[in-house]
Amino acid sequence: MFDYLVVGAGLFGAVFAHEAKAAGKSVLVIDRRNHIAGNAYTENIGGINVHKYGAHIFHTNSEEVWKYVNRFARFNRYTNSPVANYKGELYSLPFNMYTFNKMWGVNTPDEARAVVEKQRKESGITEPLNLEEQAISLVGRDVYEKLVKGYTEKQWGKDCKDLPAFIIRRLPVRFTFDNNYFNALYQGVPVGGYTKMVENMLDGIEVHTGVDYLKNKAEFDGIAEKTVFTGPIDEYYGFCFGELQYRTVRFETETLNTANYQGNAVVNYTDRETPFTRIIEHKWFEFGLDENGKEIPGTVISREYSAEWKPGVEPYYPLNDEKNTALYQKYKALAEKEKNVVFGGRLGEYRYYDMDKVVESALELCKKEL
């Protein structure tokens, strides 16, 4: 008999399990995938820690969260500075003075702001009602057409006019020469990969992978006082109100016999015609060096394709529109009535979480539970 059954060995589950064990509780962790670390899982290929489910860069302004994750890994100084490729034209991301200089030939912030304001007025936008109008208000029509529209429509599978404005508000816009995508106090990637970090969190805890909780629910519920469920909340309830919608991602990963494929960890392809959204060259998350500080001769790249989610495929991004938010509230009402089950994480709470917020949310649950 365990005090806690943690369903899901991702970041949320690992943090909770670690804290529960530290509080003297007995814990069993299970995951239906054949590995730990969830979507942050990294797999070592030829000395390169490959982010199997897409790029993960830890960034936070919380000193508490930063100190916490540094208990389990040593972080490097990687700073996220993606490049946008529009039909062979290369631009800096996030949108900043380098971007505006390349786009319009402007040299000062006042000149850049004047162009954005002129294009906003020409578009007749007063109060942005959708993503397209919000983007034009922030960066002007030229930047929107080249660097936002195609990428966003590939990412979400919808016209920008049919997407809510709040999606684009997360995107940094700076009238300075600053290429740091995340304006966070602390940022980096764990040396040796995320899998190693989560292994350290789960040290001394019983973990079983390749186990499907929902197919063996009665058995597992009988061996623990309480369950922490980090899987999809709608699936837990048998989709009784219908399926929540997600976007999913497919990867094509190649090992190449070259030392440097694209010169950057992340290059976004922003035109609509290129079928993938971006290419990740994994070695540059750790500066092209192996764990011994030696240069790695080859490289591994992943092309990332966004697609509509279907059952049986890994869900990535919750589609938090009005319809899905209302549907989630029905499931949440059921969850709140549970006495022995707690839901947490990106899928359990049906919300997009940055990694630091996952840790923060798990620690909050620990305070309530433990």
Side-chain angles (χ1 to χ4, degrees), residues 18-69:
H18 179 87
E19 293 304 302
K21 180 178 180 289
K25 305 295 184 182
S26 56
V27 186
L28 172 64
V29 178
I30 61 172
D31 199 299
R32 67 179 168 191
R33 288 192 273 199
N34 63 0
H35 60 74
I36 63 169
N39 281 4
Y41 174 69
T42 48
E43 177 182 28
N44 193 286
I45 299 176
I48 299 168
N49 290 307
V50 174
H51 296 224
K52 189 169 181 180
Y53 300 97
H56 285 77
I57 300 103
F58 202 96
H59 56 96
T60 187
N61 284 311
S62 167
E63 186 176 0
E64 179 190 4
V65 169
W66 185 244
K67 283 182 176 178
Y68 185 83
V69 294

Side-chain angles (χ1 to χ4, degrees), residues 233 237 329 331-339 341 343:
I233 189 171
Y237 288 109
Q329 291 302 321
Y331 286 115
K332 186 182 178 186
L334 288 182
E336 286 171 349
K337 295 174 184 176
E338 299 281 356
K339 292 180 180 178
V341 184
F343 295 83

Side-chain angles (χ1 to χ4, degrees), residues 304-325:
E304 192 170 310
Y305 298 80
S306 183
E308 185 178 349
W309 175 82
K310 295 176 182 176
V313 176
E314 187 63 36
Y316 279 78
Y317 304 106
L319 203 60
N320 293 122
D321 56 14
E322 285 185 29
K323 174 187 167 187
N324 283 284
T325 300

Side-chain angles (χ1 to χ4, degrees), residues 4-21 27-31 37-38 68 198 201-202 205 207 228-231 344-346 358-359 361-363 365-366:
Y4 286 98
L5 169 68
V6 178
V7 181
L11 201 52
F12 189 100
V15 169
F16 183 87
H18 179 87
E19 293 304 302
K21 180 178 180 289
V27 186
L28 172 64
V29 178
I30 61 172
D31 199 299
Y68 185 83
V198 175
M201 288 180 174
L202 295 172
I205 296 169
V207 179
V228 176
F229 185 79
T230 69
R346 176 177 53 95
V358 172
V359 174
S361 177
L363 290 174
L365 177 61
C366 292

Side-chain angles (χ1 to χ4, degrees), residues 253-265:
T253 298
E254 283 185 79
T255 300
L256 302 176
N257 187 26
T258 181
N260 190 349
Y261 178 77
Q262 64 184 18
N264 205 49

Side-chain angles (χ1 to χ4, degrees), residues 262-281:
Q262 64 184 18
N264 205 49
V266 182
V267 176
N268 290 0
Y269 286 76
T270 60
D271 61 282
R272 193 69 181 84
E273 294 74 22
T274 301
F276 46 84
T277 53
R278 59 184 178 176
I279 295 179
I280 300 164
E281 189 168 6

